[in-house]
Amino acid sequence: MQVDTLCVVPIRATKRGDERTPLDGTYDVLICGASFAGLAVARELAGSGAEVLVVDRYEIGERQTSACGIPTVWMEALGLMEAERQRFDSLLMHTPHGDSRFRLPFTFSTFDYRELCALLWRDCDARFETAKVDGRARPANGDGAIAIDTDRGAIAAPLVVDALGWRRVLAGDDGFQPPDAPLSRGLEVHPTGTGEDLEVWIDRRYVPAGYGWSFPARDELRIGVGSFDPRFHVRETTELLAEDLDAERVRYQGNWIPHKLRHATEGGVFFAGDSAGHCLPLSAEGIRTALYFGIALGRELRGVLDGWQSREQAALRYAEFHDSHEWKFRWMLHVQRLVPRIPPRLLGPLVRMLGAKRFVEWSFGHYLQIAPPEFASSGSAHDQQRADQEQHDADHTLGAERDLVEAE
Ligand SMILES: Cc1cc2nc3c(=O)[nH]c(=O)nc-3n(C[C@H](O)[C@H](O)[C@H](O)COP(=O)(O)OP(=O)(O)OC[C@H]3O[C@@H](n4cnc5c(N)ncnc54)[C@H](O)[C@@H]3O)c2cc1C
């Protein structure tokens, strides 16, 4: 990874040296990664009675991984409102040829990362350990368990989740490296300050393909630039945007952002969040989708623990669920590729046109439905499977009745 633009100085709460005792053993479920996707999976497994281990190289919530902006309804659906910092009912879009304010059909909120992770973890009953995951141990166990190498020893489980972010550490190949991989890059600074608006800049002064942003979070601003082209370095222009906004260039936070779906399962391992490419192209919104797919995966794994489906069935059902979203992600990627081709002088009028109330309501409504908040409170995978089966049986009975009528 080219770390020049992506440097981060986390506040380390993680155990070091002698405190890092050896860690090994076998669990029912091993969840690698304790951010949005990993914690969403763990939360769905609470109360299952299974031995669930969650590992991350940092303590839970120690290292912020985003600007932490999300549709408010998702925070409400998961009971996470205590972590909210600020709420917005409009989006202010800046182009070199004029500004437009979009009145949103639903609000967005910024939140405190550490607090939100703590709230998600509060609802889990898993065990947590800090450990750096190095990859799959070879050879794998013969008893159906999958062994994972960490810097504290090998851990095995029949159900293993990779929620480790874009690197997809537990995949068989290692061919997912920037700048050739379908990854965007994002970097932001977090100065102290206040603001009223959720703001976005589509301006080639900051980035030829991508956008700049300023997300206020009560007493802090999250000012950054994201480039859809991984070859474009965003450090200089992130600093330029901060300078233009008279903000301090402090507390850098950045990472690669996948903009294409990858396989949901591979070699018996389940992937959720950025590791499965669940971040939405164009908007680079990946928190809501990491939670959404994490919940879906958690429900399937719960089905295995409750004994009504096998790991293979869970893999099949989760992959089907993931694949059913593919066309929506593909469509957004088309638009992502289209935006940089629009001549700059047309951008202003186009953005104003797209700001029409009916269009905003229609497009944002569809956008929210890619990962709808109702999903968070909908039934378990077993309920869903029962409903599918009932529907299938009803269709079958109807078909048989129709055949009977036709035969008569
Ligand atoms: C600058 C920037 C701003 C963004 N802003 C937003 C935003 O406002 N809203 C939004 O919806 N999305 C935003 N995104 C995208 C969003 O951050 C991701 O899509 C989201 O964090 C994905 O969640 P995740 O749980 O899959 O992975 P991550 O949040 O990346 O978490 C991965 C976890 O795995 C751990 N980990 C990684 N490797 C290892 C290892 N080898 N061993 C052990 N642990 C490991 C990490 O410590 C981390 O806890 C932003 C991205 C960037 C780069």
Side-chain angles (χ1 to χ4, degrees):
M1 181 170 87
Q2 294 160 306
V3 287
D4 56 340
T5 60
L6 304 176
C7 57
V8 179
V9 187
I11 307 158
R12 266 198 175 270
T14 309
K15 293 190 195 82
R16 309 191 88 172
D18 290 350
E19 288 177 279
R20 288 173 82 82
T21 50
L23 178 71
D24 48 25
T26 302
Y27 293 81
D28 296 321
V29 187
L30 171 61
I31 300 172
C32 302
S35 186
F36 307 109
L39 293 175
V41 177
R43 199 171 176 270
E44 289 299 312
L45 302 182
S48 65
E51 277 197 79
V52 180
L53 177 67
V54 180
V55 295
D56 197 291
R57 59 187 164 175
Y58 300 112
E59 291 289 348
I60 294 171
E62 181 180 333
R63 177 175 161 176
Q64 183 165 332
T65 56
S66 77
C68 298
I70 187 175
T72 314
V73 277
W74 260 91
M75 292 187 68
E76 281 165 350
L78 291 172
L80 304 171
M81 292 308 289
E82 282 167 64
E84 187 188 42
R85 283 293 172 269
Q86 207 166 327
R87 199 178 298 183
F88 309 90
D89 60 9
S90 67
L91 176 67
L92 185 55
M93 295 268 262
H94 304 275
T95 74
H97 301 278
D99 300 342
S100 289
R101 184 180 292 278
F102 286 30
R103 290 272 159 220
L104 300 172
F106 52 87
T107 58
F108 271 83
S109 294
T110 47
F111 60 81
D112 181 272
Y113 179 71
R114 188 181 289 264
E115 271 184 46
L116 186 115
C117 289
L119 289 171
L120 285 170
W121 183 244
R122 181 190 63 185
D123 295 338
C124 302
D125 58 11
R127 178 177 161 192
F128 175 78
E129 291 288 344
T130 53
K132 178 175 173 288
V133 176
D134 293 326
R136 289 184 66 146
R138 301 199 198 287
N141 290 5
D143 56 1
I146 295 165
I148 302 301
D149 275 333
T150 76
D151 63 348
R152 294 178 60 193
I155 312 167
L159 299 174
V160 174
V161 176
D162 179 334
L164 294 166
W166 70 271
R167 258 181 228 273
R168 205 175 154 88
V169 177
L170 300 181
D173 59 75
D174 60 354
F176 204 60
Q177 290 297 320
D180 302 317
L183 294 164
S184 302
R185 64 196 302 163
L187 180 73
E188 58 187 18
V189 289
H190 294 178
T192 306
T194 57
E196 292 295 311
D197 290 309
L198 200 62
E199 294 179 80
V200 162
W201 283 262
I202 305 179
D203 188 334
R204 283 167 201 180
R205 211 169 137 248
Y206 299 125
V207 57
Y211 65 93
W213 65 86
S214 172
F215 286 8
R218 198 185 292 165
D219 48 9
E220 174 185 278
L221 294 168
R222 295 157 187 175
I223 298 170
V225 173
S227 170
F228 303 142
D229 175 1
R231 287 174 185 81
F232 183 82
H233 291 227
V234 287
R235 183 173 187 124
E236 243 176 59
T237 55
T238 297
E239 294 183 343
L240 178 65
L241 178 57
E243 207 177 291
D244 289 349
L245 298 177
D246 276 334
E248 265 190 295
R249 292 166 288 170
V250 288
R251 293 181 284 278
Y252 288 77
Q253 188 284 117
N255 210 343
W256 298 101
I257 313 169
H259 55 237
K260 204 168 178 192
L261 282 185
R262 308 201 71 203
H263 294 301
T265 65
E266 203 176 316
V269 173
F270 296 84
F271 297 83
D274 277 7
S275 72
H278 286 150
C279 190
L280 291 166
L282 183 65
S283 62
E285 195 202 340
I287 299 169
R288 167 168 61 115
T289 44
L291 294 168
Y292 172 71
F293 284 98
I295 291 170
L297 173 55
R299 288 179 183 162
E300 294 304 339
L301 300 184
R302 183 69 182 250
V304 181
L305 299 173
D306 291 349
W308 61 264
Q309 66 175 347
S310 64
R311 178 174 79 187
E312 288 65 35
Q313 284 166 324
L316 209 68
R317 282 170 50 88
Y318 178 59
E320 268 173 17
F321 178 79
H322 163 99
D323 291 349
S324 69
H325 295 75
E326 198 271 336
W327 69 271
K328 299 172 193 169
F329 279 71
R330 193 165 14 97
W331 194 84
M332 289 199 64
L333 185 57
H334 283 318
V335 184
Q336 171 175 308
R337 287 181 177 146
L338 195 72
V339 173
R341 295 195 198 136
I342 300 169
R345 70 196 152 74
L346 295 184
L347 260 178
L350 188 71
V351 164
R352 271 193 293 283
M353 211 171 78
L354 298 180
K357 188 169 179 283
R358 280 178 63 182
F359 182 78
V360 171
E361 280 178 7
W362 174 84
S363 54
F364 274 80
H366 280 284
Y367 178 65
L368 187 65
Q369 284 309 308
I370 297 173
E374 308 82 70
F375 186 75
S377 46
S378 65
S380 66
H382 199 192
D383 294 341
Q384 190 56 50
Q385 198 211 32
R386 265 202 297 255
D388 291 349
Q389 188 61 46
E390 276 165 21
Q391 186 62 46
H392 176 266
D393 292 348
D395 292 348
H396 190 72
T397 314
L398 247 172
E401 280 168 0
R402 198 183 46 228
D403 290 349
L404 208 68
V405 170
E406 277 170 11
E408 281 172 1

